[in-house]
Amino acid sequence: MGSTDEPAGPPDYRITGFEPANAVTEDSYELVASAADDLAVVAAHHSTNGRDTYLVLYDATAIYGRPGAPAYVAVHVTRDLKQRVFDFDHARHPLVPLAQNWLIEKGCPPGAARAFTDRGPQPADALTSRLEGLLRTNAGQRYLVLDHYTDHQSSANAGARTSTLVHDRHPLSAAHPYRVFLEEVTQDFETYTVREGAFSSIEAADLWIAAVDLPLPPAPAPVQGWRADAARARTPCANAAPSDATRTGDRVGRTPASATRRGPR
């Protein structure tokens, strides 16, 4: 998704002359397309054979919707060139690299899954880019997203702040397997940072998210070489998913403490 040939403006799904494959596809398309005037293209890739389109969109209506709602929509359009029908799949994500990872899993070439460099806020430093790269590739399905909350802070005095709680299944993260990736956008929306915090329990992570103004506990530095191999050997259960106690409701995560304490701004 690195081509800057994609024009600014509403998304180009490239479905002119095509019909929805079924009612589910039509509903999915209408749900996204109905907000066309409020959608901005963050990243786009169109396959050379004309069968697939991959998009990351910013949905401005998230600012006025449910508190904490994610602002990014990943879209995968597939076309049957002979039957002239299309399928339309989409999912909402709190961070651009998570949306890109979803598209990669749908078949988007990893090298193409990049945001435009001339639109929207830009990474403020190398650490931000490195952490985004981890989330974008999510090698070995290392990170399982449990919860997220976006404080859009649409006033003139602050930028947006997004907290994403994940379970880190890497063996070396066994002591602090719950991580919070915190994205903070500057007031002028020119740049943003991403930082990673490490917690020993979901409850500790939730308390930090709810408190808002506490320092983020830094994640331990990556371990290299033979020490890393030894640590992997000592932590055979590090890849275990969170217990069912963390899977309440109708989704993987739970309602975080922050969501129960924050009302509309």
Side-chain angles (χ1 to χ4, degrees):
M1 293 178 201
S3 172
T4 54
D5 293 336
E6 187 79 9
D12 181 7
Y13 303 114
R14 302 195 177 186
I15 55 174
T16 301
F18 290 80
E19 296 293 330
N22 50 53
V24 173
T25 294
E26 185 173 12
D27 289 344
S28 181
Y29 168 71
E30 291 294 341
L31 186 62
V32 175
S34 62
D37 291 341
D38 294 298
L39 298 175
V41 179
V42 176
H45 173 71
H46 306 282
S47 64
T48 56
N49 62 13
R51 296 184 181 276
D52 295 276
T53 285
Y54 304 92
L55 301 168
V56 177
L57 310 175
Y58 173 76
D59 182 2
T61 66
I63 296 175
Y64 311 105
R66 174 175 56 83
Y72 296 100
V73 185
V75 173
H76 178 211
V77 181
T78 56
R79 308 174 193 84
D80 185 323
L81 303 181
K82 292 183 178 180
Q83 300 296 323
R84 306 300 291 179
V85 297
F86 71 92
D87 283 306
F88 191 99
D89 195 8
H90 76 280
R92 292 186 175 270
H93 299 274
L95 300 174
V96 169
L98 293 176
Q100 293 168 322
N101 176 256
W102 186 85
L103 294 177
I104 291 171
E105 291 181 351
K106 295 290 183 180
C108 181
R114 298 285 177 176
F116 292 119
T117 57
D118 59 348
R119 301 180 193 174
Q122 301 300 308
D125 51 32
L127 178 56
T128 294
S129 297
R130 183 179 72 81
L131 292 175
E132 287 193 307
L134 290 175
L135 294 174
R136 183 183 301 112
T137 56
N138 197 16
Q141 296 298 301
R142 172 177 178 174
Y143 301 112
L144 174 66
V145 176
L146 301 176
D147 254 321
H148 51 81
Y149 191 97
T150 298
D151 193 344
H152 297 283
Q153 299 183 317
S154 57
S155 72
N157 298 321
R161 172 188 171 107
T162 298
S163 301
T164 303
L165 172 61
V166 306
H167 179 244
D168 184 353
R169 295 181 281 193
H170 194 285
L172 295 177
S173 301
H176 298 86
Y178 299 98
R179 303 297 173 97
V180 171
F181 287 89
L182 174 66
E183 179 190 86
E184 293 182 299
V185 184
T186 56
Q187 180 180 339
D188 58 10
F189 288 90
E190 291 294 325
T191 62
Y192 65 93
T193 58
V194 176
R195 296 295 183 261
E196 178 186 9
F199 301 86
S200 60
S201 69
I202 289 179
E203 291 75 18
D206 268 343
L207 287 174
W208 182 88
I209 294 172
V212 178
D213 55 354
L214 292 178
L216 185 64
V223 180
Q224 304 293 335
W226 65 267
R227 289 185 178 87
D229 295 335
R232 292 187 186 96
R234 291 195 301 269
T235 55
C237 297
N239 287 327
S243 68
D244 289 341
T246 69
R247 301 174 184 270
T248 59
D250 58 356
R251 59 194 177 100
V252 172
R254 305 119 16 264
T255 300
S258 57
T260 63
R261 299 180 189 182
R262 298 179 188 170
R265 298 186 62 83

